[in-house]
Amino acid sequence: MDAPAPRKPALGFIFVTLVLLILGFGIIIPVLPKLTVEFNGGNFAEGSNSYGWLVSIYALMQFIAAPILGSLSDRFGRRKIILVALFGSAIDYVIMGFAPNLAWMFVARMISGATAGALATCNAYIADVTPPEKRAQAFGLVGAAFGFGFAIGPAIGGVLGGINIKLPFFAAAGCVGINALYGAFVLPESLPVALRRPFSWARANPVGSLLALRRHRGVFDLALMHFINMFAQTILQSVWALYTAYRYGWTTAQVGYSLTYIGVMTIVVQGGLVRRIIGWTGERRGLVIGLIISAAAFAAYGSASHGWMIYVFVSLGVFGGIAGPAAQALITKHVSANEQGAVQGALSGLVSLSAIFAPLLAAWSFGKYIAGSPHGTFQGIALYEASALVLVALALAFRSFHLDDRVGAAV
């Protein structure tokens, strides 16, 4: 009797992995800050400071490790690295669930950051199994998975946290554990052995991985554009709860409702509309349109005088999310199959850099200017800064297009 044919790698497999991964992350969002405050004796100021350091140490470890894991996936295959990353996340959640003090929380976040290569490797997986002309639509699935995780995960975490503040961490560990089992027994490998390449520390270290981007025509400017765009997005995420609570008097529940709405709208756009929009505009125009929408939306958030306006602007601003999949698709077209993991690792490292510094800029700007102008338009200064950064990203996108066209014409 013939053995069953091996499963072919496909987007459906990796989408399940992404949803379970991000759902686990979303579950702990409502309780991690509160637990950090409790470990600081209930002192909100000290707890907030400790939480900021927890976020930064995670991002720093991810910046260091993501390029290494990405390069390892080019050598050993995507599936093995995804499994390592998932088991690292599961260990992180279990340690936080049992953590008796803040020191153990830092240990857990360092482990999680060091193994946080799943998303970058999933992106490389998508590039492996998708033809270049369909990658923008495929990368939209990543945004849809994020939308689902942030729409459903915090709601689950809030309910479980009301029972016991440690319960969401064990739920997240269970979610990632199921994901790891799925990866071990169901997820097929996407990178054939013939397309793999030797591991190199020169390419894998964070600095080397970023410098290696310069070897690919048009990639470096697109990568820098992606970094600045993500920096702006992180500013928005970092100041959202503070800004809406201060300016509109929103409660924690109202902030949660707004995040759920953003998550649902992200699912609609990234999961259903990106394919049609990018198919109509093409990747370059889609990138430009997305960045323009984002810049306008950020400025609108900073200028909104009433809370209900935020929902209107979100309904329009969420279409700016087409820029991410378009950029990813353009970058992957410049890179060979056996380098996708290294490039995605480098991009993940850049996103980690934004997660280290953007919250600091957002918090400083917000605190500085509301102190000087508590009732004026400067309440939205951080969002205006984010809007300006997106315009810088737009300029870099045009520069990349120009250089690419010039080199192409010369060839």
Side-chain angles (χ1 to χ4, degrees):
M1 185 175 180
D2 294 336
R7 289 180 296 274
K8 294 182 178 180
L11 283 178
F13 287 108
I14 203 63
F15 181 70
V16 173
T17 298
L18 282 167
V19 167
L20 290 173
L21 175 69
I22 297 165
L23 183 62
F25 180 76
I27 286 173
I28 71 168
I29 288 177
V31 294
L32 183 56
K34 184 178 179 180
L35 183 61
T36 307
V37 171
E38 287 192 4
F39 279 136
N40 280 272
N43 186 305
F44 189 85
E46 292 183 5
S48 298
N49 184 56
S50 296
Y51 178 70
W53 280 107
L54 282 175
V55 173
S56 293
I57 196 68
Y58 173 89
L60 177 61
M61 294 301 296
Q62 186 179 26
F63 169 69
I64 295 171
I68 298 174
L69 293 175
S71 291
L72 286 172
S73 79
D74 287 335
R75 171 64 181 86
F76 297 106
R78 316 298 185 205
R79 180 174 167 273
K80 293 178 182 177
I81 303 306
I82 289 173
L83 288 175
V84 169
L86 292 176
F87 281 117
S89 294
I91 292 171
D92 163 48
Y93 294 141
V94 170
I95 292 176
M96 285 196 289
F98 284 112
N101 52 51
L102 194 59
W104 279 101
M105 298 288 285
F106 277 96
V107 171
R109 290 280 80 185
M110 291 176 69
I111 293 173
S112 185
T115 56
L119 183 57
T121 309
C122 285
N123 284 336
Y125 192 110
I126 291 171
D128 291 339
V129 303
T130 311
E133 67 275 9
K134 293 184 178 180
R135 284 178 185 164
Q137 300 95 305
F139 281 119
L141 289 177
V142 179
F146 266 98
F148 182 85
F150 284 114
I152 306 299
I156 296 174
V159 172
L160 296 178
I163 300 172
N164 186 300
I165 196 170
K166 295 290 190 72
L167 190 56
F169 295 101
F170 295 110
C175 189
V176 176
I178 293 172
N179 202 351
L181 291 175
Y182 173 83
F185 295 104
V186 180
L187 183 70
E189 177 55 56
S190 65
L191 186 65
V193 175
L195 294 179
R196 299 178 188 181
R197 66 172 182 170
F199 177 81
S200 167
W201 279 110
R203 292 190 300 262
N205 74 82
V207 176
S209 69
L210 297 180
L211 293 176
L213 294 175
R214 300 183 68 93
R215 295 191 298 105
H216 306 284
R217 188 184 77 237
V219 168
F220 186 78
D221 282 330
L222 283 173
L224 185 57
M225 177 278 302
H226 183 63
F227 164 70
I228 293 175
N229 185 39
M230 292 308 300
F231 196 102
Q233 299 286 343
T234 307
I235 287 177
L236 175 68
Q237 296 163 11
S238 301
V239 81
W240 185 266
L242 292 171
Y243 173 70
T244 54
Y246 183 86
R247 187 162 192 174
Y248 311 120
W250 283 4
T251 64
T252 302
Q254 288 174 307
V255 173
Y257 297 151
S258 70
L259 293 173
T260 298
Y261 181 73
I262 292 171
V264 171
M265 290 299 296
T266 300
I267 294 171
V268 172
V269 173
Q270 300 280 1
L273 298 180
V274 162
R275 176 177 59 84
R276 297 179 182 178
I277 295 172
I278 298 297
W280 174 58
T281 64
E283 287 145 1
R284 285 189 173 186
R285 280 191 296 172
L287 174 58
V288 170
I289 291 170
L291 292 174
I292 291 173
I293 292 174
S294 291
F298 290 167
Y301 299 148
S303 303
S305 57
H306 297 86
W308 61 266
M309 295 180 178
I310 292 293
Y311 284 89
V312 176
F313 295 141
V314 165
S315 300
L316 301 174
V318 72
F319 285 91
I322 66 174
Q328 287 274 17
L330 287 169
I331 289 171
T332 60
K333 285 183 176 180
H334 291 81
V335 180
S336 62
N338 64 359
E339 295 180 285
Q340 293 290 345
V343 169
Q344 293 298 331
L347 292 177
S348 181
L350 287 173
V351 173
S352 299
L353 273 182
S354 72
I356 295 172
F357 298 108
L360 300 177
L361 174 61
W364 181 85
S365 298
F366 180 74
K368 177 76 173 178
Y369 283 96
I370 64 170
S373 180
H375 303 295
T377 56
F378 280 130
Q379 294 174 80
I381 185 65
L383 302 176
Y384 297 143
E385 291 170 347
S387 179
L389 285 170
V390 175
L391 293 178
V392 174
L394 179 62
L396 284 169
F398 280 121
R399 171 182 162 84
S400 173
F401 300 159
H402 174 71
L403 291 175
D404 205 20
D405 291 340
R406 190 173 64 183
V407 174
V411 174

